[in-house]
Amino acid sequence: DLERASAVQALEECFQYADVGELCALHKSIALLPGPERFVWRMGEGCRSSMRAVYEAAACDSPFAARHFDDVAWRQLVIKALFVEAPLWRVHGLDGRLSEELARMALDLCDERRSAHRPVQHELWLVLGKHGGERALTALEKELAGTNARGRRAAAIALARAGKLQRLTELAAKEADPV
């Protein structure tokens, strides 16, 4: 259909010449277009952007990525959110697309940050779900033994999300922080 092809070409031209604000608006609008799956490549490019505002426009507050990204692109989006410290809770469909591979990647990032003596982002623990296994439990317990209050609280929530309520109850009995 010639009209549809012309509209897609016009949109691509808009992306080519857009400033940051316009890129954000374009990325936010794609999920609302008819046949948005035609723009998977374009949205993937936004999710790889080094500009946080563009990344967030493509990755956050939209169902697009959860519906249309393959597993590789999805995992890259989630890990990039952690790297750029974007609000992972704003990524639609996160809980429905958790996986063992995503948990492994998040735990690798956790190990990398700890090796560099940097704090682990508290939102990293959202990525584990029930998929992290013993490695995740070890990492969570290490976080719970630390001094970062936000990280400790997030790790406690992660234990609950992993279904480890018995372990959480045991740790809570020794906990001094009322929150």
Side-chain angles (χ1 to χ4, degrees):
D1 158 79
L2 189 59
E3 188 175 308
R4 182 174 269 184
S6 178
V8 169
Q9 183 179 350
L11 187 62
E12 287 297 335
E13 260 186 61
C14 290
F15 271 101
Q16 189 174 1
Y17 300 108
D19 64 21
V20 173
E22 293 164 340
L23 281 173
C24 290
L26 288 165
H27 280 99
K28 287 180 180 183
S29 69
I30 285 183
L32 305 173
L33 298 174
E37 64 279 353
R38 296 174 294 170
F39 301 101
V40 167
W41 178 85
R42 181 58 69 188
M43 291 296 278
E45 186 176 74
C47 290
R48 291 185 299 276
S49 176
S50 59
M51 295 177 279
R52 183 173 167 180
V54 173
Y55 170 84
E56 287 186 20
C60 299
D61 304 322
S62 169
F64 185 92
R67 289 183 186 158
H68 301 293
F69 277 15
D70 65 19
D71 290 340
V72 172
W74 175 258
R75 290 189 299 262
Q76 289 173 345
L77 174 150
V78 172
I79 297 300
K80 174 93 177 205
L82 294 168
F83 270 108
V84 300
E85 298 182 357
L88 196 56
W89 59 269
R90 288 178 45 208
V91 174
H92 281 249
L94 179 65
D95 285 349
R97 296 215 41 197
L98 297 179
S99 67
E100 287 182 22
E101 181 61 13
L102 184 56
R104 183 200 59 78
M105 292 170 72
L107 290 168
D108 287 350
L109 178 58
C110 172
D111 291 345
E112 181 182 309
R113 291 188 65 87
R114 285 179 172 161
S115 291
H117 304 289
R118 297 178 71 202
V120 175
Q121 306 95 312
H122 67 280
E123 288 190 340
L124 181 140
W125 307 119
L126 290 173
V127 178
L128 302 179
K130 296 182 180 198
H131 301 284
E134 287 301 315
R135 183 178 175 204
L137 293 177
T138 300
L140 288 167
E141 289 195 11
K142 186 171 185 174
E143 189 71 18
L144 287 164
T147 59
N148 179 337
R150 183 180 246 178
R152 293 176 68 237
R153 291 173 185 148
I157 292 168
L159 274 177
R161 287 169 49 92
K164 303 296 181 187
L165 297 177
Q166 169 99 22
R167 184 65 182 133
L168 185 58
T169 302
E170 293 167 7
L171 292 168
K174 304 177 209 172
E175 180 60 52
D177 183 352
V179 177

